[in-house]
Amino acid sequence: MRILYAASEAVPFAKTGGLADVIGALPKYIHQLGHRCVVLLPRYRGIRSRRVVLPSLTIPMGDSLGFCSIHEAESDSGVRVFLVDQPGYYDRDSLYRHDNVDYADNAERFAFFSLAAVEFAKRAPHAPDVLHCHDWQTALVPVYLKTLYRDDPFFQRTRTLLTIHNLAYQGVFPRTMMRRAALPDSLFDPERLEFYGNVNFLKGGLLFADRLSTVSHRYSQEIRTPEFGCGLEGVLLKRAHDLTGILNGVDYSAWDPSKDPWLAERYASDNLEGKKACKLDLMAEFEIESDPDRPLIGIISRLTDQKGFDLLLEVGEIILQDGVSMVILGTGDEKYSRFFLELQRKYPKFMGVKIAYDEALAHKIEAGSDMFLMPSRFEPCGLNQIYSLKYGTVPIVRGTGGLDDTITDYQALSGNGFKFSHYTSSELLRTVRRALEVYRNPERWQALIRRAMEMDFSWQRSARRYHELYESLILNV
Ligand code: ADP
Ligand code: GLC
């Protein structure tokens, strides 16, 4: 099979969140199953080009023509990675926004990228069997294939899969963007791309893609309800038969404490000495009190409402007063960074805060913390809780989406973390206290850590499920 992945981020090239981890890993594992995988990304600032493969590609942007070139990036994984080079759109200091405000031309930037994906595919000797799109940024690919390119014989056998990584981001723009995005006016209809008077890119993808998936089973159920559907639950219910949940995997070549180059000391489940060294190193890095016995909670996150931080606004201080230290690495909403920085000012010995994006520090937090907190309001999959398991850092989570699918609540002889279900600060606090009780019993805590570390969430299993999905898609071609 030939699979073309069109996505707006992928490690090691560009990352704002878990989507990048997925696109950096999934194609590698599908490639290992014997398929031809190609990844297409925008060429953001700083991504190095190995060579130019197409010096000029014409993009039909409705009334006008756009141009870009296609470069190939360095890649040693067996998967070829190509880049859409259009400096006017992508050579900027970040991917989607500046100073917490979205770029005003995001509709145009990603409509252009989606059209470039189709035009790029057309330049290959063979059409892809599956064009696998991700989130709103590439959700227009299936729309274009079923409208502008409907009669193009080249794509007769190509099928599309759209994976939803986060339904909360839909790409909603004023109607005037329809023309800029080369979308025929006839698509501005509530049964198609219209959404309360605006145009909704994700809605288009959900209606036009041949198949839909999301990144956990639980989230695939949740998004059919008004509570999690973000206004698209009706569309998702309509397409329920074509919607599957496939849990993300972990790329253990990047996230494994026995091989991790960022750590002060490496360790594995049969020798946890190194984890203590990592804890001291982390405490020193955040300049908090170096007490190896004081429980340490880590957080690495986008600081947004999704991640449940409003609960911490209510009980964060009580948790510190309970005898816990906390370290937080994140960027995002100012209301949360201000709150955490204020806590740090008040409790400098126990609270460490870095408002930054820092890959190395993320690894150090995974290794050096005793517990990892993710009290999300909703969570399509969530990766850090699964990374935490491998690092013997016990997750404390709210049971929603992928958090619910991956974490089972602690019992004396079972469970891999601590989980609460109602989204309230009192449940969060009670759950942290339950974790602390077990922490104070070293024998039980060690047994829990070992159980967590021995769990396997490798990509192989998830890749096999995607593989089956691709096969079923092209079965009746
Ligand atoms: P989401 O994609 O919703 O942000 P995930 O848990 O799926 O959540 O993935 C988040 C990814 O981004 C993880 O790999 C995490 O380590 C990384 N990450 C998030 N914030 C930061 C940060 N400030 N510095 C470094 N890595 C971060
Ligand atoms: C999104 C979700 C996160 C998921 C990631 C990768 O950013 O918020 O839960 O793990 O995509 O699929």
Side-chain angles (χ1 to χ4, degrees):
M1 262 186 289
R2 290 184 166 77
I3 298 123
L4 171 58
Y5 296 86
S8 59
E9 41 187 285
V11 290
F13 305 101
K15 169 165 168 174
T16 67
L19 169 65
D21 293 353
V22 174
I23 306 302
L26 172 64
K28 273 197 312 205
Y29 289 86
I30 295 291
H31 170 79
Q32 284 169 13
L33 294 175
H35 303 291
R36 290 183 193 204
C37 300
V38 163
V39 174
L40 187 69
L41 302 170
R43 186 175 178 211
Y44 300 111
R45 180 170 298 170
I47 304 186
R48 291 222 335 247
S49 153
R50 190 164 74 84
R51 61 184 188 117
V52 178
V53 287
L54 292 171
S56 181
L57 189 63
T58 306
I59 309 298
M61 289 289 282
D63 301 341
S64 60
L65 293 179
F67 300 93
C68 62
S69 53
I70 303 289
H71 293 237
E72 182 163 8
E74 296 285 349
S75 162
D76 51 13
S77 64
V79 174
R80 295 179 75 181
V81 178
F82 295 93
L83 309 164
V84 175
D85 188 53
Q86 213 300 355
Y89 285 144
Y90 310 123
D91 183 15
R92 300 187 184 177
D93 55 9
S94 57
L95 273 55
Y96 312 124
R97 50 201 341 230
H98 180 73
D99 275 349
N100 278 332
V101 180
D102 288 348
Y103 291 130
D105 57 352
N106 273 349
E108 222 170 296
R109 296 172 77 222
F110 290 101
F112 183 91
F113 178 65
S114 300
L115 278 167
V118 178
E119 288 295 329
F120 166 71
K122 261 194 96 160
R123 294 298 189 96
H126 303 279
D129 296 298
V130 179
L131 228 160
H132 189 167
C133 314
H134 301 266
D135 281 349
W136 73 266
Q137 289 91 340
T138 50
L140 289 184
V141 170
V143 180
Y144 294 135
L145 281 180
K146 291 248 172 80
T147 55
L148 304 182
Y149 295 83
R150 190 186 47 206
D151 300 323
D152 190 330
F154 186 78
F155 290 116
Q156 282 316 298
R157 303 169 74 87
T158 299
R159 295 293 175 264
T160 52
L161 169 63
L162 173 63
T163 297
I164 306 159
H165 295 264
N166 197 333
L167 198 62
Y169 301 90
Q170 301 181 355
V172 176
F173 304 103
R175 179 179 190 169
T176 47
M177 285 297 164
M178 291 285 287
R179 188 157 296 174
R180 293 282 230 346
L183 294 165
D185 242 7
S186 58
L187 292 179
F188 198 77
D189 173 298
E191 293 299 309
R192 297 193 161 90
L193 274 69
E194 199 250 338
F195 188 70
Y196 302 104
N198 291 314
V199 50
N200 183 324
F201 284 14
L202 187 66
K203 180 177 176 186
L206 296 179
L207 287 166
F208 282 85
D210 293 307
R211 221 53 92 68
L212 306 173
S213 75
T214 186
V215 288
S216 68
H217 173 72
R218 177 78 197 267
Y219 193 61
S220 78
Q221 303 292 324
E222 289 172 339
I223 54 180
R224 299 164 204 203
T225 66
E227 190 186 348
F228 294 94
C230 305
L232 290 176
E233 58 277 8
V235 176
L236 288 158
L237 263 179
K238 195 156 132 188
R239 298 232 42 207
H241 288 300
D242 296 317
L243 168 66
T244 352
I246 303 179
L247 198 68
N248 290 329
V250 178
D251 192 351
Y252 288 124
S253 67
W255 295 97
D256 177 347
S258 69
K259 299 186 204 130
D260 194 325
W262 304 109
L263 307 189
E265 234 175 82
R266 298 184 191 158
Y267 60 93
S269 62
D270 54 5
N271 179 4
L272 291 169
E273 274 311 300
K275 189 165 172 62
K276 287 188 197 147
C278 291
K279 181 171 178 179
L280 290 174
D281 178 53
L282 181 62
M283 291 172 138
E285 176 106 23
F286 274 96
E287 297 176 13
I288 56 172
E289 193 175 73
S290 274
D291 175 355
D293 297 322
R294 189 175 166 107
L296 177 61
I297 293 183
I299 294 178
I300 306 160
S301 189
R302 290 183 294 116
L303 303 178
T304 63
D305 294 337
Q306 170 190 348
K307 302 292 179 178
F309 294 121
D310 47 343
L311 300 184
L312 273 186
L313 296 183
E314 290 169 28
V315 294
E317 185 161 1
I318 305 177
I319 293 174
L320 292 175
Q321 288 165 352
D322 270 4
V324 176
S325 294
M326 257 195 264
V327 292
I328 297 187
L329 168 66
T331 56
D333 292 359
E334 220 175 280
K335 67 174 175 220
Y336 297 123
S337 44
R338 231 182 297 123
F339 166 74
F340 290 129
L341 288 167
E342 179 56 27
L343 265 191
Q344 181 185 37
R345 204 190 48 76
K346 218 164 152 188
Y347 299 88
K349 277 159 65 179
F350 306 122
M351 181 83 193
V353 182
K354 291 255 157 87
I355 304 300
Y357 189 91
D358 185 334
E359 188 72 25
L361 193 54
H363 286 250
K364 284 169 182 262
I365 292 176
E366 285 294 358
S369 309
D370 296 301
M371 298 154 208
F372 193 91
L373 182 59
M374 259 175 112
S376 305
R377 184 183 284 277
F378 68 94
E379 195 60 74
C381 177
L383 292 169
N384 284 109
Q385 83 281 13
I386 330 182
Y387 299 160
S388 298
L389 292 172
K390 188 69 180 172
Y391 284 75
T393 299
V394 176
I396 300 175
V397 306
R398 167 153 187 266
T400 180
L403 295 173
D404 199 42
D405 286 356
T406 53
I407 304 305
T408 43
D409 198 33
Y410 175 81
Q411 307 284 327
L413 296 172
S414 67
N416 59 8
F418 295 87
K419 184 158 80 172
F420 62 101
S421 49
H422 293 117
Y423 189 77
T424 63
S425 56
S426 56
E427 272 218 33
L428 164 62
L429 184 61
R430 208 172 317 127
T431 310
V432 169
R433 286 180 172 160
R434 270 205 298 129
L436 291 177
E437 226 176 275
V438 182
Y439 178 84
R440 288 190 199 103
N441 180 329
E443 221 169 273
R444 286 187 169 191
W445 191 253
Q446 296 277 322
L448 169 58
I449 287 185
R450 294 220 160 80
R451 251 189 338 259
M453 291 182 83
E454 276 153 23
M455 298 199 71
D456 181 12
F457 285 95
S458 58
W459 261 109
Q460 271 93 352
R461 204 170 58 198
S462 308
R464 268 200 302 276
R465 294 218 37 216
Y466 276 105
H467 173 240
E468 284 161 17
L469 184 55
Y470 298 154
E471 295 237 289
S472 75
L473 250 175
I474 62 171
L475 201 62
N476 300 315
V477 172

